[in-house]
Amino acid sequence: MKKYAILLRGITPSGKNRVPMSVLRAALSNAGLLDVQTYIQSGNVIAKSALTQSSLESLVHEVIFREIGADIAVIARTHEQLKRVMEGNPFPSNAASRTYFSLFSAPVAAHLTEELARLEFFPDSVRINQDVLYTLYATKHSDSKFNNNFFERKLKVSATTRNFNTMSRLMELSA
């Protein structure tokens, strides 16, 4: 059994991607996941499973689509993977409130990361590797045009973005 942080992309409190956390917990438990818990209302699940990462992502996607009707990207990471992401953060700890992590559903093609790296992000800062993009926003995430949708379009991969505090908490919960 592995413990996973399962990140749902684009969850909203209302609208087409509305996923009530109590319904989600019950549906995932009924699907065989163990110790299912959610963290805040933005699509963060912690659960245990014997499935591989990709099989778990497929199962969660299927359960959400069938039980709730939302067709969303699902990205699962183990504690060790989250720890590696956090340890790879290139930005200073005193900038944690403006630091965001975009996790990819699949490795990004090298030529696309190279193209993205050549873009000018000033006054924001962006660093990327094969499975995560780190962004340090000059002011607020919501003030920048460099958001999850922008990065998905440029990198041709599904991604989901979390702030430093959420990532830190998910790492703790997945331990």
Side-chain angles (χ1 to χ4, degrees), residues 92-114:
S93 58
N94 66 353
S97 66
R98 297 178 290 116
T99 302
Y100 286 74
F101 305 80
S102 299
L103 302 170
F104 305 135
S105 61
V108 178
H111 75 279
L112 295 175
T113 61
E114 291 165 9

Side-chain angles (χ1 to χ4, degrees), residues 73-157:
V74 175
I75 298 171
R77 296 292 186 265
T78 63
H79 172 76
E80 293 77 23
Q81 290 170 319
L82 289 178
K83 185 177 178 184
R84 183 181 50 77
V85 166
M86 294 299 285
E87 289 172 349
N89 177 12
F91 301 118
S93 58
N94 66 353
S97 66
R98 297 178 290 116
T99 302
Y100 286 74
F101 305 80
S102 299
L103 302 170
F104 305 135
S105 61
V108 178
H111 75 279
L112 295 175
T113 61
E114 291 165 9
E115 287 175 22
L116 186 77
R118 286 193 291 268
L119 295 177
E120 176 59 54
F121 292 101
F122 185 81
D124 303 326
S125 297
V126 172
R127 302 290 182 275
I128 185 171
N129 67 36
Q130 209 174 25
D131 63 350
V132 63
L133 182 139
Y134 301 93
T135 309
L136 176 62
Y137 291 98
T139 56
K140 295 188 304 189
H141 175 262
S142 58
D143 290 343
S144 179
K145 68 180 181 178
F146 305 115
N147 57 31
N148 198 81
N149 292 337
F150 174 85
F151 296 126
E152 283 181 324
R153 280 192 310 275
K154 291 292 185 185
L155 299 172
K156 300 181 185 347
V157 67

Side-chain angles (χ1 to χ4, degrees), residues 3-15:
K3 196 171 192 182
Y4 289 94
I6 304 164
L7 311 174
L8 311 179
R9 193 248 186 262
I11 298 301
T12 58
S14 61

